[in-house]
Amino acid sequence: MSRPSDLVQGTLDLLLLKILALEPLHGWAISQRLKLVSGDVLQVSDGSLYPALHKLEQAGWIKAEWKPSENNRRAKFYALTRLGRRQLEKESAEWKRLSMAISTVVQLPEA
Amino acid sequence: MPFERWLHLIPLRLRALFRRAEVDQELDEELRYHIDRQTELNIAQGMTPDAARTAALRAIGGFESRKEELREQRATIVIEHAARDVRYAMRILRRSPLFAVAAVGVLALGIGANAAMFALIDKVVLRPLPVSRPDEIAEIRIDGYRHDFGIGDGFNSELTHPLWQLIRTHPHAFSGMFAWGNTGLLFGDGADRQRINGLWVSGDYFDVLGVPAEHGRLLLESDDHRGCGASAVVLSHAFWQRQFGGSPSVVGATVSILDHRFTVVGVAPAAFTGLEVGRSFDVALPICSVELFGNALEQREYFWLRVMGRLRPQWTIAQASEQMRTISAGLFEATVPPGYSSESTTRYRAYRLTVLPAARGVSQLRANFAPALWVLLGLTGLVLLITSANLATLMLARAVGREREFTVRVALGASRHRILSQAFIESLIVAALGAICALPVAVLSSRAMVGLLSTSSNPVDLAVHLDWRVAAFTGAVAAATAIVFGLLPAIRASLVHPATAVRSTRGLTVDKHRGLAQRVLLVGQVAVSLVLAVAALFFVRSFQNLIGADTGFTQDRVMAVYLADLGAGDLPLEQRVAFQSTLTDEIRSVPGVVAAASSTHTPLSPASWWHSFILSIPGAERTGSPWAYVDPGYFNTLQIPLVAGRGITPFDTAASKRALVVNESFVREHLHGLPAIGTTLRTFAEPGYPATSYEIVGVVRDTTYSDLREGKRAIAFAPLAQDPGLRPWANVLVRTSGPPSMVTEAIKQRVTHLSAGILVGFTELRVQLAERLVGERMLAWLSGGFGVLALAIASFGLYGIVAYLAGGRRNEIGIRLSLGSSRLQIIRLVMGDSLRLVIVGLAIGLPIAIALMRTASALLFGLSATDVGPLAAAVVFLAMAAGVAALIPAWRASRLDPSSALRAE
């Protein structure tokens, strides 16, 4: 199974939840949004996007709905569930804790 | 929280399972949408359409493989795989219908036999009574009482009515108590009179048990009072259906029982057939009605009741038992039966009551046959074991045949785990189909077994039907079977190496590891078959020993004529004797009757008669012996030779000196070297039988008294004319010149001509003997059948394995033959290998068989677990069967055409 090589493991879930917390989107739009908001720094391969989305759906954090998209074709839109929102809060708190710890370590003055 | 999660997930998973095509299609659509949008974007950024699409596909990592990955990720994938495996396995099985039908059929028989034994054991031994909270039901009885005091009435003769009257005044441990006894009754009038099973019950019997009425009402406390006479009767559901066609209007009707009119007050529910498992009641009467037929309510020496109660919740069996023990002394002191010698009454006073659990009721069937049933369950288990081993061999052969398929699948990326589960599911399906077919087999064969145990004199009434307990057992056995025969081949299948797919399947010489599993299975089959063959030979031999045991008297063409309701009860003693001898004379004068004699005891009948006595010499000690009152024709009728002195003659009358004829064992056991003739002994008093001095006047050869297993034993014969307690029934033993059935009609006519009211019954001694051996007979027949089956299965398995191993060595055999080996050498080569396995199997099986027979030694008669004869016979049988089974494929291998064998490569 392919794994985002350039992302800390587990952070893809957090990113997806956060993006979907803003508004319901379909898969392609999510990948575009990821590139846009992160200024092309975070490269999520299209290959790993869908397994991650389906995993979140199986976990009950996001739910899917077929709706007409901006080009009038039917597309599968994902939206956050109540459980997903709770999970997002948990994971972002965790992320803040982790990144704070890492930046503290990184900023240690070198002898 | 978890609830909310499942609210999302359940529809999702159900959809994945049951709308698979739709879900797959959506997956397809979702990915296609992404690729299309990405392609559009790529074109917009200046790529050619083709390059744009290729780039989009590459970015997503391949369309089909991405789809597969997403599919595998579903939580329901395990079920999807299982469903696919089931479909695949069904396809494979359909492709080899012969194997499928044979395997399912063999399993249906094997599992069915086990389930049948279980159904029977469950019914007879394990199942609690169909009453409310059966665990609270307990029985109160005399500790260690073996029907060795007073008069008994058979299996349920544990307490007397006077004792019950006292016990019920001490209910502390019990929220309710009741007493019951069973009896044969005559139902109806005149020619339509029929024998039925009656139950005497105390008024609160149904109440305490918590059994509701199906129609009308059941007996109440108020029905059971002194002087009730002929009043209320309750019918069992089965009797109501049989006799009254289930008509509800029977409530309130009067019926005739033993020529008294009773009113039907209600019908018991179908589930409740009484408290004795294996004997159902037809009618239940209040105990007080016994008064119509005698003074059983007052008799202190007449044991005919069982007393039970419902324990209060806070009381344990041990506490209740202790409580009963403490009040025992007073109870027995107050009910000492009159007319007994002081030694006997001392013994009576020492009796103590105890309380035993009775949640499963009581059962003569259980007491007689439970050990045999457990042994048979063990044997059917072994049969199923070798059947499974055999099937495993077949499945292994199939797995080997499909090796190429498995290797290709592994090479194409299937996981070993998937191959294993797929192969195992095939076995599970075979086992499941076998289990389904086993259910009718089980029900039918357990009913057949009930038939085997049932006799005219002791009918077994046991309704065996399919229920969840039997179904659960069958399922469990089937699952265990599938593990035994399916797991090994499945593991074997999953161990293939992808590289072998490209290699040749057949090596030049025998591969030592190839067939290892088969060899182990063969050894196991031979070992278990030996155990079954040994069991078969032992039980068959034991039964032969019993049925053919020398009883010391003639059984051929001898029958016992049972005469009841003589109507002579009112006659004075002298006239009763005269009446009985007239009756015997009448029977003797029937053409075809060679000899006839009347006696209180029929040899080999379960009833027994015992008198305590003491020799009239100084220093003699009290002892006792089986006893029979016989008329002068007895020894002649049964052809028991006289050894010394004289037999019983017509001159031994009520007025003459008391004379006694004893047998040789009696002389050996009791007389201690005294000259037999002329020795006197004195019996101890019993109610109706005052202490009497007898002089021994003759000695006869030994005979068996009532139990074949006891062998010949001491018996004393006293003149019937001197029997102080003549009864309203008589047994006449009749020896005939032709088949006894030829004269029964004539005897019946003579007897009813003499007195119309007499009931006549006939039993041939051979039949009576056979009826007492039904348990042994069942054990012998079934174990014999299992033994033959085991032999056949093992031979079949051996044949298959030898053929398989020989097939694997075709090239080698071809080369050997072309290099000049003789056919005999080839036969030896092929057989030698397998016969070594047989010997190992026999060596393993023999000690197991001996150990098992040792634990079952209580069921053996006339041979011990280490008897060389049957053990050697079993080994020889099995070795011979194995030799033949191995010879056929070996011979065939030796006929191989070397050139074609080598060309096949």
Side-chain angles (χ1 to χ4, degrees), chain B residues 497-545:
Chain B
H497 195 275
T500 56
V502 286
R503 259 202 274 133
S504 148
T505 48
R506 221 195 302 155
L508 271 185
T509 56
V510 65
D511 172 1
K512 283 289 170 208
H513 295 291
R514 193 178 163 99
L516 178 68
Q518 279 96 329
R519 287 155 197 264
V520 171
L521 286 171
L522 175 67
V523 169
Q525 280 183 63
V526 170
V528 176
S529 301
L530 182 70
V531 173
L532 283 166
V534 165
L537 284 172
F538 270 83
F539 289 130
V540 168
R541 179 73 69 85
S542 168
F543 177 63
Q544 282 174 340
N545 286 349

Side-chain angles (χ1 to χ4, degrees), chain B residues 21 154 551 740 788 819 892:
Chain B
T551 53
V788 172
L819 289 181
R892 208 180 283 155

Side-chain angles (χ1 to χ4, degrees), chain A residues 1-2 26-28 31-32 35 45-47 49-55 57-60 63 66 69-71 73-76 78 81-83 86, chain B residues 1 4-6 8-9 12-13 15 25-27 29-41 56 59-61 66 69-70 73-76:
Chain A
M1 199 184 278
S2 57
H26 52 75
W28 188 74
S31 81
Q32 295 307 309
K35 282 174 198 148
S45 84
D46 293 346
L49 174 65
Y50 285 94
L53 280 172
H54 285 213
K55 211 177 75 200
E57 189 187 5
Q58 296 281 346
K63 57 175 188 249
W66 287 89
S69 68
E70 55 279 8
N71 69 350
R73 256 178 76 180
R74 212 167 77 106
K76 197 175 178 188
Y78 292 94
T81 62
R82 254 163 43 107
L83 282 174
R86 222 170 289 155
Chain B
M1 172 85 157
E4 199 180 336
R5 205 169 107 89
W6 284 112
H8 284 291
L9 294 188
L12 208 65
R13 303 236 160 124
R15 225 173 137 246
Q25 207 255 314
E26 283 180 4
L27 186 59
E29 194 179 337
E30 184 179 19
L31 291 180
R32 208 171 292 284
Y33 181 85
H34 179 101
I35 290 164
D36 289 349
R37 291 297 297 269
Q38 189 62 40
T39 309
E40 281 167 25
L41 186 71
I60 209 162
R66 188 59 54 212
E69 184 190 333
L70 288 171
Q73 203 180 306
R74 274 181 219 146
T76 49

